[in-house]
């Protein structure tokens, strides 16, 4: 029997398999990026970096809820200049494509970040257009005009592939997906976390210091799948599926819905880094049992009517 290939070409980025870490879970240090690459990721994504250092929110910043986690880190990061030093170290050691996740509060800031990082041997950029609770970023990520303008600015600053990571917190996902596509995005990441809230009944107040948080994990999966499915019918650029992928079955669902690559985040917190190998083994078994020779044959198959 022919061994099925898990190779993916994602907007020109050649990956040995479709898995990546979701930005925010690990990925701020060179060490964590190396560990992710060694755990089996086909590519790795950094934690989001902005122009200036940010301390992030005080504790508590994460709470477990039914079906996953709610987090409100507040985009902590060392700022682009300090981050560059760490990223250079990572890029020397990681033998897989590395994407830098960037965030800003205005389209120009994203352009400036891409310009400052463009000389590094990065494989591409992921634009965090979707933090659900940091004011400024929340507005930008749900405004199609600003999304289009942000992608356009980044594309003008780099020739590397640019992926727009979109929020599910909008009434029309197709509208934000189209905006990113029209702005010139090479691909989409669907989706970031859902805006949520948890209340501490003993204290009688919101659990997280940031009040609202982003919901991730199994509870997010059906929403994320729906967004991937909708975007696949509309935009003609590759989609990275993200949201509650814990098992190879989840991975297959996202591929059938139209994702060409996949990001795993919360599952790392629950299962550890071995989750990547478990998903890859399961995917190979599934492809072989169904007689597929490559992963590509699976992408979007749920749309056949
Ligand atoms: C944070 C950022 C995100 O993009 C997200 O989905 C959840 C939390 C944060 O840093 O608070």
């Amino acid at each position: 029997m022919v061994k099925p290939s898990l190779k993916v070409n994602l907007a020109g980025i050649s990956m040995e398999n479709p898995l990546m870490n979701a930005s925010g879970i690990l990925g701020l240090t060179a060490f964590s990026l190396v560990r992710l690459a060694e755990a089996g990721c086909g590519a790795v994504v950094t934690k989001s970096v902005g122009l200036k250092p940010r301390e992030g929110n005080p504790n508590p910043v994460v709470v477990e809820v039914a079906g996953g986690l709610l987090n409100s880190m507040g985009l902590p990061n060392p700022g682009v200049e300090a981050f560059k030093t760490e990223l250079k170290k990572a890029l020397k050691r990681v033998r897989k494509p590395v994407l830098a996740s960037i965030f800003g509060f205005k389209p120009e800031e994203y352009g400036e970040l891409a310009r400052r990082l463009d000389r590094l041997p990065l494989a591409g950029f992921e634009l965090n257009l979707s933090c659900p609770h940091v004011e400024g970023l929340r507005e930008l990520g749900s405004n199609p005009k600003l999304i289009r303008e942000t992608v356009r600015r980044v594309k003008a600053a780099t020739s590397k592939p640019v992926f727009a990571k979109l929020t599910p917190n909008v009434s029309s996902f197709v509208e934000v997906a189209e905006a990113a596509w029209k702005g010139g995005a090479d691909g989409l990441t669907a989706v970031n976390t859902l805006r949520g809230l948890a209340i501490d009944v003993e204290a009688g107040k919101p659990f997280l210091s940031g009040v609202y948080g982003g919901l991730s994990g199994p509870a997010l999966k059906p929403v994320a799948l729906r967004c991937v499915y909708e975007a696949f019918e509309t935009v003609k650029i590759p989609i990275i599926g993200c949201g509650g992928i814990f098992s190879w079955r989840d991975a297959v669902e996202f591929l059938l819905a139209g994702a060409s690559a996949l990001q795993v985040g919360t599952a790392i917190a629950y299962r550890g880094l071995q989750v990547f190998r478990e998903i890859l083994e399961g995917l190979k078994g599934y492809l072989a049992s169904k007689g597929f020779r490559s992963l590509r044959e699976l992408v979007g198959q749920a749309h056949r009517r």
Side-chain angles (χ1 to χ4, degrees):
M1 194 167 53
V2 202
K3 261 203 181 161
S5 161
L6 292 185
K7 284 201 181 121
V8 177
N9 183 314
L10 185 71
I13 303 174
S14 154
M15 294 167 54
E16 67 188 42
N17 71 62
L19 301 188
M20 308 179 191
N21 62 304
S23 175
I25 307 253
L26 301 179
L28 195 55
T29 63
F31 177 69
S32 57
L33 289 169
V34 170
R35 280 182 65 208
L36 284 162
E38 286 172 353
C41 286
V44 297
V45 190
T46 71
K47 194 162 161 56
S48 299
V49 68
L51 283 175
K52 295 199 197 110
R54 279 173 69 98
E55 278 205 6
N57 291 331
N59 282 327
V61 290
V62 191
V63 59
E64 189 169 20
V65 293
L69 300 176
L70 196 67
N71 91 85
S72 181
M73 313 301 283
L75 295 164
N77 79 98
V80 67
E81 288 311 316
F83 182 69
K84 234 169 149 172
T85 314
E86 193 65 22
L87 195 52
K88 279 184 192 158
K89 269 195 244 165
L91 289 165
K92 279 198 195 123
R93 293 171 55 200
V94 177
R95 299 267 166 265
K96 309 270 174 79
V98 178
L99 300 177
S101 169
I102 56 178
F103 77 88
F105 295 95
K106 291 190 193 123
E108 304 85 273
E109 291 185 18
Y110 286 84
E112 176 64 16
L113 283 158
R115 203 179 58 71
R116 293 218 210 161
L117 294 169
D118 192 44
R119 290 250 192 95
L120 302 183
L122 287 162
F125 291 96
E126 183 178 79
L127 315 184
N128 182 350
L129 293 166
S130 39
C131 175
H133 48 270
V134 173
E135 298 309 317
L137 191 45
R138 187 154 84 89
E139 288 75 57
L140 189 145
S142 47
N143 179 326
K145 257 199 205 136
L146 291 178
I147 292 174
R148 189 171 168 169
E149 177 61 12
T150 301
V151 177
R152 201 186 61 74
R153 295 261 180 173
V154 175
K155 286 297 291 177
T158 180
S159 54
K160 298 184 200 297
V162 173
F163 298 87
K165 184 165 182 178
L166 300 171
T167 182
N169 302 299
V170 284
S171 56
S172 167
F173 189 75
V174 163
E175 207 171 73
V176 288
E178 273 183 346
W181 182 34
K182 286 186 189 150
D186 300 279
L188 305 179
T189 304
V191 292
N192 206 319
T193 54
L194 259 180
R195 183 169 158 89
L197 176 74
I199 291 185
D200 180 339
V201 296
E202 294 308 326
K205 61 183 180 68
F207 203 98
L208 300 172
S209 76
V211 182
Y212 303 104
L215 175 67
S216 63
L220 177 60
K221 197 185 87 175
V223 175
L225 262 179
R226 182 265 297 171
C227 293
V228 169
Y229 193 92
E230 284 182 338
F232 185 83
E233 300 220 320
T234 318
V235 304
K236 302 298 165 222
I237 46 177
I239 303 165
I240 305 171
C242 179
I245 300 176
F246 271 53
S247 68
W248 66 265
R249 285 177 186 277
D250 299 331
V252 169
E253 281 191 72
F254 274 88
L255 294 163
L256 292 170
S260 304
L262 308 161
Q263 293 183 348
V264 177
T266 302
I268 303 174
Y270 281 81
R271 301 272 162 84
L273 286 167
Q274 74 206 33
V275 70
F276 290 102
R277 294 243 148 75
E278 287 167 10
I279 294 174
L280 291 173
E281 285 314 303
L283 270 180
K284 276 187 221 156
Y286 178 81
L287 289 174
S289 74
K290 295 283 182 190
F292 289 112
R293 272 159 306 163
S294 79
L295 199 84
R296 231 186 4 228
E297 294 169 37
L298 216 64
V299 174
Q301 283 299 307
H303 295 260
R304 274 175 316 164
R305 291 200 228 262

